[in-house]
């Protein structure tokens, strides 16, 4: 899985950030609202509760594992938005879900 490989490389390098692009806005709550920031603890809780499902589980788990390996922050970004990485880098709100320790 490319996401898993990217997370492992980022962790081994102790990267400051890991960015993952996907075709959804980011991690959504049960009402479909974007969760703009989560701690690894909160993200794990959402996986265990079944609120994070399907293809978002491996992406979120990879972000958590990368942070536990030394990455400072990880973001799951909506790759359908033009310039989503620039939006994440240069705006306060970002373009997806930021996961922190």
């Amino acid at each position: 899985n490319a996401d898993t490989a990217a997370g492992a490389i980022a962790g081994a390098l102790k990267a400051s950030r890991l960015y993952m692009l996907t075709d959804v806005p980011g991690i959504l709550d049960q009402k479909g609202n974007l969760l703009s920031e989560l701690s690894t603890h909160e993200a794990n809780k959402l996986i265990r509760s079944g609120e994070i499902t399907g293809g978002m589980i491996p992406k979120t788990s990879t972000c958590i594992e990368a942070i536990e390996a030394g990455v400072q922050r990880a973001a799951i970004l909506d790759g359908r938005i033009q310039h989503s990485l620039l939006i994440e880098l240069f705006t306060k709100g970002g373009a997806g879900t930021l996961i922190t320790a």
Side-chain angles (χ1 to χ4, degrees):
N1 181 303
D3 292 335
T4 305
I9 292 167
L13 294 172
K14 307 289 188 243
S16 61
R17 293 272 176 113
L18 169 64
Y19 297 104
M20 303 185 83
L21 294 177
T22 188
D23 61 353
V24 297
I27 297 173
L28 306 176
D29 67 14
Q30 290 179 331
K31 295 179 182 176
N33 299 311
L34 177 66
L35 299 172
S36 60
E37 188 169 340
L38 295 171
S39 69
T40 55
H41 174 76
E42 293 167 324
N44 270 318
K45 187 176 174 183
L46 292 174
I47 292 171
R48 285 192 306 273
S49 73
E51 195 165 335
I52 294 176
T53 60
M56 290 305 290
I57 293 172
K59 284 191 184 319
T60 305
S61 296
T62 295
C63 290
I64 293 166
E65 292 165 9
I67 290 169
E68 290 173 347
V71 173
Q72 292 175 14
R73 295 172 181 224
I76 299 174
L77 305 176
D78 189 344
R80 301 168 302 168
I81 296 175
Q82 190 172 17
H83 308 299
S84 60
L85 182 57
L86 293 175
I87 293 168
E88 177 66 24
L89 290 170
F90 296 113
T91 66
K92 186 173 180 118
T97 302
L98 180 65
I99 301 175
T100 63

